[in-house]
Amino acid sequence: MNEMMISKKTTNIVDINGVLVGTDAIVIMAGPCSVESEHQILSIAKALKQAGASVLRGGVYKPRTSPYSFQGLGSAGLPLLKTAGDETGLRTITEVMDPRDVELVSRYVDCLQIGSRNMQNYTLLKEVGRTSKPVLLKRGIAASYFEWLNSAEYIWAEGNKNIILCERGIVSLRDGLRYTLDLSAIPYIKSITDSIYRGYPIIVDPSHGTGLADLISPMSKAAIACGADGLLIEVHYNPSESKSDSYQTIDYQQFNGLVSQIKKLAPVVNRTTLV
Ligand code: PEP
Ligand code: MN
């Protein structure tokens, strides 16, 4: 297997309202872990647009380990995310956790995110499969490639072929890290010739994958070097103030530095542009 084969294997290009994922161009999705207020999401969106991101992330329904942690703004956050997208021209993505919310969330965002904890929620997978919205399917924290690809198949089988995979770290032996970012997944899955892999683009989330802000830049570069089609990164104007995932969230300066390094790296691995 050579590098050309790896970068050519993404055949199922996904169109997020004009932003194509899976071409030679690297797509950067970024934003806060959670939408916190109109001011917060709008100011972050403006900074990210200027820095070179093309898709704005922001959770409104948050899957938190403790029921006493900030749960997100819920559906009240959807119009805030939409406004930030409309005002900056960024496409938007948010997680949907409940099949009953799929219709509502689809009206506000350009891409639906299925979180790690719901990778095998088959009712939810079928529901998003009945829409025509692009779906970002995160890998479960203990899911094999076979299980992950079969989850994608649940969406595909309902008729929605707009599927992007997202490696976000798995449980393994790690000291001090939140998860182990399994970058082998990218070249390996892209080399599968069996129909279980339908040429989906694969992006990488180093934020949840490591849990540490200092590792976002090195692991992002590693992800692009091994053939990832894009990145999903948590950014906040003041990470320490972030209502969720503050330790893994980077600030604007770090994000700008990361984007400039990705731009330099891209041509080395036959990825010429950022969208
Ligand atoms: C997220 O991206 O907001 C998130 C909760 O990620 P994951 O499902 O990977 O934990
Ligand atoms: Mn998060």
Side-chain angles (χ1 to χ4, degrees):
M1 187 168 44
N2 61 36
E3 240 171 69
M4 283 312 287
M5 281 173 67
I6 291 170
S7 60
K8 287 286 176 259
K9 194 66 210 300
T10 305
T11 51
N12 189 62
I13 291 168
V14 175
D15 183 346
I16 306 182
N17 208 0
V19 170
L20 301 182
V21 187
T23 68
D24 281 348
I26 294 158
V27 175
I28 300 194
M29 307 185 184
C33 179
S34 305
V35 175
E36 298 170 4
S37 67
E38 181 164 4
H39 163 75
Q40 178 247 21
I41 193 68
L42 188 55
S43 55
I44 294 175
K46 285 179 182 161
L48 295 175
K49 173 72 182 177
Q50 198 159 16
S54 43
V55 181
L56 176 67
R57 63 149 289 144
V60 301
Y61 305 106
K62 295 305 299 177
R64 305 306 302 280
T65 301
S66 165
Y68 307 118
S69 300
F70 176 59
Q71 300 286 304
L73 297 180
S75 47
L78 293 170
L80 309 185
L81 186 60
K82 181 168 171 19
T83 301
D86 289 346
E87 291 209 8
T88 55
L90 291 169
R91 310 306 187 266
T92 53
I93 178 169
T94 203
E95 177 169 352
V96 59
M97 297 205 298
D98 189 321
R100 293 169 297 187
D101 293 331
V102 168
E103 205 263 321
L104 175 72
V105 175
S106 297
R107 278 192 262 134
Y108 284 94
V109 297
D110 300 305
C111 186
L112 303 171
Q113 178 172 319
I114 301 294
S116 198
R117 293 156 191 80
N118 276 309
M119 190 206 81
Q120 287 180 311
N121 181 337
Y122 300 121
T123 312
L124 181 61
L125 296 174
K126 285 189 209 167
E127 197 63 35
V128 299
R130 290 184 202 114
T131 74
S132 54
K133 284 276 169 188
V135 178
L136 182 77
L137 178 64
K138 288 196 155 197
R139 183 181 181 186
I141 59 171
S144 68
Y145 300 150
F146 184 76
E147 289 164 335
W148 189 13
L149 292 167
N150 265 299
S151 289
E153 198 65 22
Y154 267 88
I155 301 168
W156 182 281
E158 291 298 325
N160 188 350
K161 298 182 166 43
N162 306 307
I163 302 165
I164 303 163
L165 302 178
C166 179
E167 164 59 39
R168 52 77 69 213
I170 52 170
V171 172
S172 79
L173 308 172
R174 78 272 191 206
D175 297 311
L177 293 179
R178 193 173 179 191
Y179 295 99
T180 296
L181 191 63
D182 177 20
L183 292 182
S184 310
I186 293 109
Y188 181 73
I189 291 176
K190 288 187 179 208
S191 75
I192 295 174
T193 51
D194 192 85
S195 65
I196 189 71
Y197 171 58
R198 296 185 182 271
Y200 310 118
I202 310 178
I203 72 161
V204 169
D205 170 357
S207 305
H208 294 89
T210 66
L212 290 177
D214 285 348
L215 293 195
I216 306 312
S217 177
M219 297 316 286
S220 295
K221 287 182 275 183
I224 297 306
C226 72
D229 297 295
L231 297 165
L232 179 68
I233 298 186
E234 290 187 337
V235 185
H236 197 283
Y237 46 75
N238 184 351
S240 65
E241 259 180 32
S242 175
K243 290 193 175 174
S244 51
D245 286 349
S246 57
Y247 290 111
Q248 66 195 39
T249 298
I250 59 173
D251 62 21
Y252 295 163
Q253 199 188 348
Q254 290 167 308
F255 184 72
N256 281 316
L258 166 62
V259 173
S260 69
Q261 292 192 42
I262 296 292
K263 280 184 182 162
K264 280 187 224 154
L265 171 64
V268 179
V269 286
N270 300 325
R271 313 301 284 252
T272 47
T273 41
L274 286 175
V275 187

